[in-house]
C-alpha cells in the first residue's frame, strides 16, 4: 500500500550503475543514490576509488590509474642555501671530510699534513658550535662530532711528538662530563708520559684509566695492566712489575706478559721463579690451527682449490707471525736464563731443552741445542761447540743441515779446508736449498783456487735465496780474482742497494774502481766510506794515497794526518808524513814522526839515522852528534853512522875523530874481506853457478814480493846521499857548504806502498764480519 507521506520503494525505477543512468529517483529523504548522476558528474564509489575514479571523471573518460595523462610532476621546491639550517648542514659535512682527510694523511705517513687538517677541522667545528647555539638550543649540539674532532687532533699532536699540546687536548676531552667513556683516553695520556720518561705520572694515569673501565672489558684491563708492569720495569721496581705480570698470567696468560715476567725474575735473580715463569710461558696457548689443516686429504679438485686459496691468505700469515713471535720469545728467554738457573750454562740449557721437548714447541729443542753450541763459540770453547754440533749428524735433514753448516764454518775459520769441505757437502746433501751451506761450499772451493766453480756455488745460493748477501758479496770477490771487474762492480753495486751503509761493500766498490784505473770514482766512494766509518785509519790512508797519486799533496797530507791521528802506529803513514815535511823544508816537524817510527821498529837503524839527519839539517849539530853517538852505541857496526860521526867531529874539531876514523877503516876493511870471500866463492862455483843463481833469484824474488809493501819508500830513502854514500873529504869551510845534505829539497818525496786489499780473502758465511775493514 502506498501511503500519502512515504512513497513505496516498490515503484518501478531504473537501476543506477557506477556510470550513472539517464534518470533516477530520489530517496525518501531526498539523498541521491550512490551511483546517481548529479549535474552530469558521476559520484565515485568509495570502494573503487583506488581503481582510478576521481571526482572530475565523466562518462566515457579513459582509464588512467597512474595519472600519466596529467603530465610531469611540478619541480621540487628550490633549496634555500642562505638558510641557517642549510649552512650548518654544509659546515658539518666539511668538518667530517677534514677529519677523514687527516686520518688518511696519517695512515700515508704525512704527519704534518694530518696535523694541519686536524687543526682546520677543529677551527671549523668551533664555528659550527657557535652557529648551532644561535639557531637551536644547546641540547642539539652534535657531541659525537666534537669528540671525534678533539680526539683526532690529540692523536695528530702525539704523532708529531707535540706532547704538551696532545696532553692539553686530551685533558679537554677527559674533563668534559658530557663525553661518555672519555676515561679510556687516560691510557693515551699515560702512553705520552711514558714516552717522556715521566714514569710516575704514566703509572698514575694508567691506574686512573683502569679504575674507570668496567670489569666486563677484560681485554682492555689486561692491556693496561701490561703497560703498568712495563713502566715498573723501566723504573726498576721489579717486585711491583712481578705482581702485575703474575696477575695477568693468572687471568689471561699471553706471550708478552710471560716474557716480561721472566725478565723481572731475572732482574731480581730468583732462579726457581725463573723456571716456573718459563714453564708458564711454554704453556701459553697459541690458538692457531695445525699445519695438517692445509694438507689436502683427497683428490677432490674443489677441496684442493679451497686449501690452496687459504694456504697463504691473511689469516694464515697472521698465524705464522704469531707462531714466529712465540718461538722468538721462548728462544730468547731460554738463552737468557740458561746460564743462571743452574751451576753452568750447559746444565741450564739441558733443563730448557727438556721443558721444551715436553711442550707444543718440540721442534724448538734442536734450535736450542744449536744455540748451546753457539754459546760455546762465544766463550771460545771451540772443542765443546764442535762436539755439540756433531750430535746432530743423525738428526732430521733440516737440523743436520744447520749443524753441518756451522761445522763447515768453524773448520773454514781454522783453515782446515778438507773438513770444512766435507761438512759443507753434508749440509748441501741434507738440504740442497740451504743458501748458507752452498755459500760455505763455495768458500772451500775458493780457498783451493777454483774460482769458476766457486762462482757457480754462489750463484746457486742466490737462486735459492736472492736475499743471501753473503753469497752476493763473495761472488763479487770471485769476479775480482778472475779480473772480471765489470761483473764484480755490478755485484757490489747490487749489494750496496741492499746494504746501504755497509763499509765493506763501499770499500770494495772503491777498490774495483781503483783497479779499473778510475781514481775519481774511487775517491768518491771512499768519501762515502769515511762518512760511515769516519775513524777508519786505513780508509783515510787509502784516500791520502789516491790524492797523492793524483798530485794533490795538500789533500793527501790531510787524510794521511787524520789516519795517523786515529792510528799512530802505521809505519807507511809515518814514513809518508816525515818525507812530506822534509820535502816542504820543515825538518823539525819530521823529527817527531821518525822518532815514533824508531819506537815502533827499534831494530831498524834507518829511522834513527833519519832523526839525526833532520837535526843536522835544521842546524842543531850538537843534538845530531849526540844522536849519532847513541846510534853508534846501539849499532857499533853501522858504517853510515861512523861516516857521519867522522865528518861531524872533523868539522867541529873534536878529538874523538881519530877513534871513529879508525873504527870506520876497520869496518870498511872487514867489508872488503867479506866481499872478496863472496866473489871467490862465486868464482869457485863452476858448473853449479847458474843453478845457484837461479835459486837465489827465485828466493830474492819471493822476498821482494813479501816485503815490497813495507820497504818501497824505505829503499828510496836509503838511496839518498847521506844514508849509504860516503862523505867527501873534509875542509875548513862551513859544514853545509862542504857536503851534500842527504835530505835536500831537491829530493822528490817517494810514494807509499799500496795497502793490502781489504777483505779480499775474507768471506762472510752466516753474516758479514764485525770488523769493518779487517786486514
Amino acid at each position: 500500500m502506498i501511503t500519502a507521506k512515504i512513497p513505496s520503494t516498490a515503484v518501478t525505477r531504473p537501476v543506477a550503475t557506477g556510470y550513472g543512468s539517464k534518470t533516477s529517483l530520489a530517496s525518501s529523504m531526498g539523498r541521491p543514490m550512490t551511483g546517481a548522476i548529479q549535474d552530469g558528474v558521476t559520484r565515485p564509489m568509495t570502494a573503487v576509488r583506488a581503481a582510478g575514479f576521481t571526482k572530475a571523471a565523466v562518462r566515457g573518460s579513459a582509464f588512467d590509474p597512474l595519472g600519466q595523462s596529467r603530465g610531469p610532476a611540478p619541480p621540487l621546491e628550490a633549496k634555500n642555501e642562505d638558510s641557517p639550517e642549510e649552512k650548518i648542514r654544509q659546515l658539518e659535512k666539511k668538518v667530517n671530510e677534514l677529519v677523514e682527510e687527516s686520518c688518511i694523511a696519517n695512515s700515508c705517513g704525512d704527519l704534518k699534513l694530518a696535523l694541519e687538517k686536524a687543526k682546520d677541522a677543529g677551527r671549523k667545528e668551533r664555528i659550527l658550535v657557535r652557529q648551532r647555539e644561535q639557531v637551536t638550543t644547546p641540547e642539539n649540539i652534535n657531541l659525537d662530532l666534537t669528540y671525534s674532532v678533539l680526539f683526532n687532533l690529540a692523536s695528530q699532536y702525539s704523532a708529531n711528538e707535540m706532547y704538551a699540546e696532545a696532553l692539553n687536548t686530551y685533558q679537554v676531552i677527559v674533563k668534559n662530563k658530557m663525553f661518555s667513556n672519555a676515561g679510556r683516553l687516560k691510557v693515551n695520556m699515560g702512553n705520552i708520559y711514558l714516552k717522556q720518561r715521566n714514569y710516575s705520572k704514566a703509572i698514575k694515569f694508567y691506574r686512573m684509566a683502569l679504575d674507570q673501565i668496567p670489569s666486563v672489558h677484560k681485554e682492555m684491563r689486561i692491556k693496561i695492566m701490561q703497560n703498568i708492569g712495563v713502566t715498573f720495569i723501566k723504573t726498576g721496581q721489579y717486585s711491583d712489575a712481578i705482581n702485575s705480570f703474575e696477575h695477568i698470567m693468572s687471568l689471561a696468560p699471553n706471550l708478552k706478559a710471560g716474557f716480561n715476567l721472566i725478565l723481572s725474575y731475572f732482574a731480581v735473580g730468583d732462579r726457581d721463579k725463573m723456571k716456573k715463569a718459563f714453564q708458564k710461558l711454554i704453556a701459553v696457548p697459541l690458538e692457531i690451527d695445525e699445519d695438517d689443516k692445509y694438507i689436502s686429504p683427497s683428490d677432490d679438485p674443489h677441496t684442493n682449490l679451497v686449501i690452496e686459496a687459504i694456504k697463504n691468505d691473511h689469516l694464515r700469515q697472521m698465524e705464522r707471525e704469531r707462531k714466529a713471535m712465540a718461538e722468538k720469545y721462548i728462544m730468547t728467554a731460554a738463552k737468557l736464563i740458561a746460564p743462571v738457573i743452574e751451576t753452568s750454562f750447559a746444565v741450564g740449557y739441558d733443563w730448557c731443552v727438556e721443558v721444551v721437548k715436553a711442550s707444543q714447541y718440540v721442534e724448538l729443542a734442536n734450535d736450542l741445542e744449536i744455540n748451546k753450541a753457539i754459546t760455546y763459540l762465544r766463550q771460545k770453547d771451540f772443542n765443546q761447540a764442535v762436539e755439540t754440533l756433531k750430535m746432530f749428524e743423525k738428526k732430521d735433514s733440516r737440523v743436520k743441515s744447520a749443524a753441518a753448516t756451522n761445522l763447515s764454518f768453524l773448520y773454514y775459520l781454522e783453515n782446515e779446508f778438507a773438513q770444512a769441505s766435507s761438512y759443507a757437502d753434508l749440509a748441501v746433501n741434507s738440504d740442497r736449498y740451504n743458501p748458507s751451506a752452498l755459500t760455505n761450499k763455495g768458500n772451500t772451493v775458493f780457498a783451493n783456487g777454483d774460482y769458476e766453480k766457486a762462482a757457480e756455488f754462489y750463484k746457486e745460493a742466490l737462486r735459492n735465496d736472492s736475499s743471501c748477501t753473503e753469497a752476493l758479496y763473495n761472488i763479487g770477490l770471485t769476479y775480482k780474482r778472475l779480473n772480471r771487474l765489470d761483473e764484480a762492480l755490478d755485484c757490489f753495486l747490487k749489494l750496496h742497494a741492499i746494504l746501504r751503509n755497509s763499509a765493506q761493500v763501499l770499500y770494495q766498490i772503491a777498490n774495483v774502481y781503483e783497479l779499473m784505473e778510475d781514481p775519481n770514482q774511487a775517491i768518491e766512494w771512499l768519501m762515502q766510506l769515511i762518512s760511515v766509518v769516519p775513524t777508519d785509519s786505513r780508509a783515510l790512508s787509502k784516500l791520502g794515497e789516491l790524492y797523492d797519486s793524483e798530485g794533490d799533496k795538500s789533500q793527501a797530507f790531510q787524510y794521511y794526518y787524520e789516519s795517523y791521528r786515529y792510528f799512530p802506529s802505521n809505519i807507511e803513514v809515518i814514513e809518508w808524513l816525515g818525507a812530506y815535511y822534509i820535502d816542504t823544508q820543515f825538518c823539525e816537524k819530521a823529527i817527531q814522526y821518525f822518532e815514533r817510527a824508531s819506537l815502533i821498529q827499534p831494530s831498524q837503524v834507518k829511522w834513527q839515522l833519519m832523526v839525526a839527519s833532520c837535526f843536522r839539517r835544521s842546524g842543531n849539530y850538537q843534538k845530531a852528534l849526540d844522536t849519532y853517538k847513541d846510534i853508534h852505541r846501539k849499532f857499533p857496526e853501522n858504517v853510515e853512522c861512523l861516516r857521519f860521526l867522522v865528518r861531524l867531529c872533523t868539522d867541529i874539531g873534536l878529538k874523538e875523530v881519530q877513534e871513529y876514523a879508525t873504527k870506520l877503516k876497520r869496518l870498511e876493511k872487514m867489508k872488503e874481506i867479506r866481499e872478496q870471500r863472496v866473489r871467490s866463492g862465486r868464482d869457485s862455483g863452476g858448473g853449479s853457478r847458474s843453478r845457484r843463481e837461479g835459486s837465489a833469484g827465485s828466493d830474492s824474488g819471493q822476498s821482494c814480493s813479501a816485503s815490497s809493501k813495507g820497504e818501497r819508500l824505505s829503499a828510496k830513502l836509503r838511496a839518498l846521499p847521506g844514508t849509504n854514500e860516503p862523505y867527501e873529504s873534509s875542509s875548513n869551510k862551513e859544514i853545509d857548504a862542504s857536503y851534500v845534505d842527504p835530505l835536500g829539497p831537491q829530493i822528490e818525496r817517494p810514494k807509499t806502498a799500496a795497502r793490502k786489499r781489504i777483505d779480499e780473502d775474507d768471506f762472510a758465511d752466516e753474516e758479514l764480519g764485525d770488523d769493518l775493514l779487517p786486514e
Side-chain angles (χ1 to χ4, degrees):
M1 299 294 291
I2 299 175
T3 63
K5 292 184 179 180
I6 303 173
S8 175
T9 55
V11 178
T12 303
R13 58 183 179 182
V15 179
T17 65
Y19 289 98
S21 60
K22 295 293 183 180
T23 59
S24 63
L25 296 176
S27 67
S28 60
M29 297 300 293
R31 180 177 180 272
M33 296 173 62
T34 305
I37 299 175
Q38 296 178 350
D39 301 328
V41 179
T42 313
R43 181 174 182 269
M45 293 182 179
T46 307
V48 291
R49 180 183 296 276
F53 289 101
T54 61
K55 291 181 180 180
V58 295
R59 182 176 294 278
S61 62
F63 181 71
D64 188 15
L66 300 179
Q68 295 178 1
S69 62
R70 291 178 295 178
L76 296 174
E77 184 179 355
K79 288 183 179 180
N80 186 7
E81 296 183 357
D82 295 333
S83 64
E85 292 81 3
E86 184 63 26
K87 288 183 178 179
I88 289 172
R89 194 158 42 248
Q90 293 296 327
L91 190 56
E92 186 173 338
K93 181 180 178 183
K94 181 64 176 176
V95 171
N96 279 311
E97 289 176 354
L98 285 171
V99 171
E100 185 177 353
E101 291 172 4
S102 174
C103 296
I104 292 173
N106 181 281
S107 64
C108 295
D110 194 348
L111 302 180
K112 187 176 180 181
L113 178 62
L115 180 58
E116 291 176 359
K117 294 285 185 182
K119 287 181 179 179
D120 196 11
R123 287 191 292 267
K124 285 186 167 49
E125 194 273 336
R126 286 192 292 273
I127 297 172
L128 175 63
V129 170
R130 287 195 295 269
Q131 290 186 4
R132 280 190 179 277
E133 289 175 349
Q134 294 173 2
V135 175
T136 60
T137 58
E139 290 78 9
N140 294 328
I141 294 175
N142 190 348
L143 288 176
D144 292 338
L145 182 63
T146 305
Y147 181 89
S148 63
V149 168
L150 289 174
F151 178 65
N152 179 58
L153 181 60
S155 300
Q156 303 308 332
Y157 275 134
S158 179
N160 284 272
E161 298 183 0
M162 301 171 67
Y163 297 132
E165 292 84 352
L167 288 171
N168 292 335
T169 310
Y170 279 128
Q171 201 70 33
V172 171
I173 302 175
V174 171
K175 286 185 176 181
N176 194 332
K177 302 298 182 183
M178 300 178 69
F179 294 139
S180 60
N181 298 324
R184 294 188 177 192
L185 297 184
K186 290 183 178 178
V187 177
N188 296 14
M189 300 175 73
N191 291 340
I192 292 175
Y193 282 121
L194 186 64
K195 291 177 182 177
Q196 292 179 329
R197 299 185 179 182
N198 192 344
Y199 302 124
S200 59
K201 279 199 171 183
I203 294 173
K204 174 184 174 183
F205 274 89
Y206 286 143
R207 285 177 169 169
M208 290 169 65
L210 194 63
D211 293 338
Q212 295 185 14
I213 291 177
S215 58
V216 293
H217 298 155
K218 292 182 179 180
E219 187 175 354
M220 186 69 180
R221 292 177 63 86
I222 290 295
K223 290 182 178 179
I224 296 174
M225 292 183 69
Q226 283 190 185
N227 287 6
I228 293 174
V230 170
T231 311
F232 277 131
I233 288 179
K234 289 184 175 291
T235 57
Q237 302 177 37
Y238 300 112
S239 58
D240 294 328
I242 288 170
N243 293 332
S244 297
F245 292 128
E246 281 185 341
H247 183 66
I248 294 171
M249 294 299 288
S250 63
L251 292 178
N254 62 76
L255 293 169
K256 290 184 179 179
F259 182 71
N260 287 334
L261 182 60
I262 292 174
L263 289 180
S264 303
Y265 282 132
F266 178 80
V268 298
D270 194 333
R271 294 184 177 184
D272 295 333
K273 292 291 182 66
M274 273 189 270
K275 289 183 177 181
K276 293 180 180 178
F278 186 75
Q279 291 172 337
K280 289 181 181 179
L281 178 65
I282 290 285
V284 172
L286 278 180
E287 299 178 355
I288 62 175
D289 293 330
E290 297 295 331
D291 292 338
D292 297 339
K293 175 183 177 181
Y294 302 98
I295 299 175
S296 178
S298 64
D299 294 333
D300 183 13
H302 179 70
T303 306
N304 293 339
L305 284 174
V306 171
I307 292 175
E308 193 66 29
I310 66 174
K311 263 185 180 179
N312 201 31
D313 61 354
H314 291 295
L315 183 60
R316 176 62 173 160
Q317 291 175 7
M318 187 176 72
E319 288 178 347
R320 285 201 195 101
E321 290 173 0
R322 183 180 294 180
K323 187 175 181 181
M325 182 180 70
E327 291 177 354
K328 178 183 176 183
Y329 282 139
I330 292 169
M331 292 291 293
T332 307
K335 288 189 287 186
L336 178 69
I337 68 173
V340 297
I341 58 176
E342 298 292 346
T343 54
S344 66
F345 91 93
V347 180
Y349 260 109
D350 293 338
W351 182 87
C352 292
V353 168
E354 292 301 322
V355 172
V356 170
K357 282 181 179 179
S359 70
Q360 56 184 328
Y361 305 98
V362 182
E363 65 274 8
L364 286 183
N366 293 325
D367 295 336
L368 276 175
E369 290 280 1
I370 292 179
N371 270 294
K372 179 181 176 182
I374 293 174
T375 308
Y376 277 126
L377 286 178
R378 289 175 179 157
Q379 295 181 353
K380 310 297 183 186
D381 194 348
F382 300 109
N383 294 328
Q384 285 289 344
V386 170
E387 291 299 323
T388 306
L389 290 171
K390 283 182 177 179
M391 293 167 53
F392 293 96
E393 292 185 15
K394 296 181 180 180
K395 297 282 186 177
D396 63 321
S397 59
R398 184 187 67 84
V399 180
K400 185 193 298 183
S401 178
T405 299
N406 286 329
L407 283 169
S408 173
F409 173 72
L410 280 173
Y411 283 121
Y412 181 83
L413 293 181
E414 294 178 355
N415 293 327
E416 296 183 17
F417 299 126
Q419 290 274 30
S421 180
S422 64
Y423 278 105
D425 289 333
L426 177 61
V428 172
N429 295 332
S430 301
D431 185 2
R432 186 69 189 181
Y433 300 100
N434 185 349
S436 299
L438 291 166
T439 301
N440 285 351
K441 180 60 180 175
N443 291 350
T444 58
V445 175
F446 186 99
N448 293 327
D450 193 349
Y451 304 124
E452 294 287 354
K453 190 174 180 181
E456 291 301 321
F457 280 107
Y458 298 141
K459 287 177 183 177
E460 187 175 354
L462 286 172
R463 282 193 293 270
N464 293 335
D465 183 7
S466 59
S467 63
C468 183
T469 54
E470 296 86 0
L472 187 57
Y473 182 85
N474 290 350
I475 199 172
L477 295 180
T478 307
Y479 284 144
K480 199 167 73 168
R481 281 292 182 92
L482 294 170
N483 203 29
R484 293 154 63 175
L485 299 179
D486 291 332
E487 296 177 67
L489 181 63
D490 185 53
C491 290
F492 289 126
L493 289 175
K494 285 180 183 177
L495 193 56
H496 175 64
I498 301 172
L499 307 173
R500 301 296 299 180
N501 294 323
S502 172
Q504 292 178 338
V505 176
L506 290 170
Y507 181 84
Q508 292 296 338
I509 295 173
N511 182 238
V512 171
Y513 274 120
E514 183 186 2
L515 296 175
M516 296 170 70
E517 298 181 355
D518 190 349
N520 294 327
Q521 283 289 343
I523 288 172
E524 182 179 340
W525 284 95
L526 282 173
M527 294 294 287
Q528 292 187 41
L529 173 61
I530 63 172
S531 68
V532 176
V533 281
T535 60
D536 191 282
S537 62
R538 294 194 176 276
L540 292 166
S541 65
K542 189 66 181 177
L543 262 175
E545 180 184 334
L546 288 173
Y547 274 117
D548 187 27
S549 64
E550 290 294 297
D552 192 347
K553 295 187 184 298
S554 60
Q555 284 286 353
F557 170 75
Q558 176 186 346
Y559 288 109
Y560 271 121
Y561 182 76
E562 286 295 310
S563 175
Y564 171 78
R565 194 162 63 89
Y566 289 118
F567 184 59
S569 300
N570 191 330
I571 288 293
E572 296 175 10
V573 175
I574 292 171
E575 204 167 13
W576 191 95
L577 289 170
Y580 173 81
Y581 278 120
I582 291 172
D583 192 27
T584 54
Q585 300 293 314
F586 289 101
C587 297
E588 297 87 351
K589 291 186 177 181
I591 292 172
Q592 60 174 325
Y593 296 103
F594 292 127
E595 284 179 343
R596 179 169 289 276
S598 66
L599 291 174
I600 296 170
Q601 295 181 344
S603 60
Q604 294 286 335
V605 68
K606 64 177 181 178
W607 306 121
Q608 300 180 43
L609 289 174
M610 296 303 299
V611 171
S613 181
C614 289
F615 278 127
R616 183 175 50 78
R617 177 63 178 168
S618 60
N620 194 345
Y621 303 122
Q622 185 59 45
K623 189 69 176 176
L625 182 61
D626 295 340
T627 306
Y628 282 126
K629 288 181 179 180
D630 188 52
I631 295 170
H632 178 64
R633 282 193 297 272
K634 294 177 181 178
F635 305 95
E637 295 184 358
N638 187 273
V639 177
E640 297 176 22
C641 180
L642 282 172
R643 288 173 181 166
F644 282 112
L645 281 172
V646 170
R647 177 57 199 236
L648 281 175
C649 291
T650 303
D651 291 339
I652 297 174
L654 297 177
K655 296 180 180 179
E656 296 98 331
V657 62
Q658 189 61 39
E659 177 186 352
Y660 293 130
T662 304
K663 290 181 179 180
L664 178 60
K665 288 180 181 179
R666 185 169 61 250
L667 284 174
E668 288 177 345
K669 189 173 182 180
M670 291 173 63
K671 184 179 179 181
E672 288 178 2
I673 294 171
R674 283 197 295 268
E675 289 177 355
Q676 288 176 1
R677 288 176 180 174
V678 171
R679 284 197 297 270
S680 62
R682 288 178 182 175
D683 293 340
S684 63
S688 62
R689 179 177 179 181
S690 59
R691 288 194 299 272
R692 286 200 304 271
E693 286 180 353
S695 175
S698 62
D699 293 342
S700 63
Q702 291 176 358
S703 175
C704 179
S705 63
S707 62
S708 61
K709 177 180 175 182
E711 299 292 336
R712 191 179 303 168
L713 183 67
S714 304
K716 292 191 177 183
L717 288 176
R718 285 198 302 270
L720 297 176
T723 56
N724 61 355
E725 290 184 5
Y727 275 100
E728 298 176 358
S729 58
S730 178
S731 64
N732 293 327
K733 296 180 180 180
E734 290 295 325
I735 191 166
D736 283 340
S738 59
Y739 65 90
V740 180
D741 184 70
L743 295 172
Q746 73 278 8
I747 304 300
E748 181 181 357
R749 191 191 63 75
K751 297 179 182 178
T752 58
R755 59 185 287 267
K756 182 181 177 182
R757 308 298 178 207
I758 296 177
D759 281 347
E760 193 168 88
D761 294 323
D762 294 339
F763 293 89
D765 301 287
E766 294 301 323
E767 58 183 2
L768 289 174
D770 293 332
D771 296 330
L772 292 176
L773 294 174
E775 186 56 23

